[in-house]
Amino acid sequence: MNKPFFEVFPTLKVNNELQILFQDVEVSKVATNSSRDYIKVHILSRHLLQKQNIFTMEDKIKEQLFTHVKIRIEIVEKYELSEQYTPENLLNEYLDSFLIELNERSVVERNMLQNAGYFFEDENILCLTLTDSIVAQGRKESLIQYLMDVYENRFGKTIEVRVVYEKAKDSSLKYNEVKLQQEVDAIMDHVDAVKAEKALEKEAKEAKEAKAEKKSEEKKFEKKFEKKNFQGAQG
């Protein structure tokens, strides 16, 4: 049975805006993993909550209730909204939340949606217009799946997403793509440099160990030689 949010978290102190937003929100389930370092709070709301408010509430729960515990808090939203929230109206009102959430998941996909043109062909078919690029083609399916999952799991609505590509309208878009590729190349160069550094460290460590082992063997040989000479002298 669902319980009011602030009945589940009675000691939680938040500002007036969050207090009002979450006043009528219900908690349907609180779940944790086997290592107890991850808690999911499943909520049901009958009004739209922007993602930034969800993230802020997650931080408040972590800061106030699990101060000295290494744990991650995730609020999982489910909505029962009025019929006025068609898929198109949802996208218009929830776009900033999509972008904020995508920013945590993939900056590339966030930029794709932020710069996309969109319209609904009918109530359930979302048409996205993306700038034609290698990056967009590579991340298209991931972005589509994200949008479909959010609509279905969060809002209980099934949509189809279709993508149309358009050529870059000016050189700045091409420049941004080149700049992005340069940043990727720089990251890969850094990764290669780190790998090379680790390889050198490993090589130096192995050489040091080999030298120590050789020295140990030499000492053993010296002791054995001295013992043999000593026994020969006694004979």
Side-chain angles (χ1 to χ4, degrees):
M1 183 178 177
N2 294 355
K3 292 185 177 181
F5 187 87
F6 289 109
E7 187 177 311
V8 177
F9 302 103
T11 62
L12 198 61
K13 304 297 181 185
V14 297
N15 61 33
N16 288 338
E17 181 185 1
L18 284 178
Q19 184 75 37
I20 292 169
L21 285 172
F22 281 80
Q23 192 66 49
D24 300 326
V25 171
E26 299 174 0
V27 176
S28 57
K29 182 172 68 172
V30 177
T32 185
N33 59 356
S34 57
S35 56
R36 297 190 177 279
D37 59 0
Y38 184 79
I39 292 178
K40 280 188 177 182
V41 181
H42 296 259
I43 64 170
L44 173 66
S45 178
R46 294 175 178 84
H47 60 270
L48 203 57
L49 297 167
Q50 295 298 329
K51 200 64 187 180
Q52 187 56 59
N53 292 320
I54 295 293
F55 285 161
T56 301
M57 187 60 83
E58 289 173 347
D59 291 340
K60 294 295 182 185
I61 294 173
K62 170 67 174 71
E63 291 167 5
Q64 296 182 31
L65 306 183
F66 301 94
T67 309
H68 303 296
V69 181
K70 188 177 180 181
I71 197 167
R72 180 186 168 193
I73 308 297
E74 181 184 1
I75 295 176
V76 182
E77 317 101 283
K78 196 171 183 63
Y79 293 96
E80 290 182 358
L81 302 172
S82 66
E83 292 300 319
Q84 75 180 42
Y85 284 102
T86 62
E88 183 173 8
N89 290 339
L90 273 172
L91 185 55
N92 291 332
E93 291 194 33
Y94 203 68
L95 180 59
D96 286 345
S97 291
F98 280 126
L99 297 176
I100 288 171
E101 189 169 31
L102 277 171
N103 196 59
E104 300 293 314
R105 162 193 167 107
S106 167
V107 175
V108 172
E109 291 176 30
R110 190 279 313 276
N111 288 337
M112 286 168 60
L113 183 60
Q114 189 171 18
N115 297 318
Y118 67 87
F119 65 93
F120 277 80
E121 192 170 287
D122 64 21
E123 187 173 340
N124 298 310
I125 300 178
L126 169 60
C127 297
L128 289 179
T129 303
L130 303 177
T131 301
D132 192 8
S133 68
I134 296 172
V135 174
Q137 291 176 18
R139 303 298 299 182
K140 177 192 72 171
E141 293 301 329
S142 180
L143 178 59
I144 288 174
Q145 194 60 53
Y146 162 77
L147 291 169
M148 291 174 61
D149 287 346
V150 170
Y151 267 97
E152 182 174 357
N153 299 325
R154 201 170 294 174
F155 301 114
K157 296 181 182 295
T158 302
I159 66 166
E160 179 184 343
V161 181
R162 298 176 182 174
V163 170
V164 175
Y165 293 108
E166 66 176 5
K167 291 183 178 180
K169 294 179 180 178
D170 55 49
S171 59
S172 65
L173 292 175
K174 294 179 181 178
Y175 168 77
N176 287 336
E177 186 175 351
V178 171
K179 186 178 179 183
L180 177 61
Q181 187 59 51
Q182 288 173 341
E183 290 174 357
V184 171
D185 291 341
I187 292 171
M188 295 308 297
D189 288 342
H190 176 70
V191 170
D192 290 340
V194 170
K195 286 181 179 178
E197 185 178 348
K198 286 185 177 180
L200 287 173
E201 289 176 356
K202 184 180 178 183
E203 186 177 334
K205 183 180 178 183
E206 289 175 349
K208 187 177 180 181
E209 289 174 351
K211 186 176 179 181
E213 185 177 351
K214 184 179 179 182
K215 194 172 182 180
S216 176
E217 289 296 328
E218 288 175 350
K219 285 184 178 181
K220 287 180 183 179
F221 177 78
E222 288 173 2
K223 287 182 180 179
K224 186 177 179 182
F225 181 76
E226 288 173 0
K227 185 177 179 183
K228 183 178 180 182
N229 286 347
F230 176 74
Q231 289 174 343
Q234 282 186 327

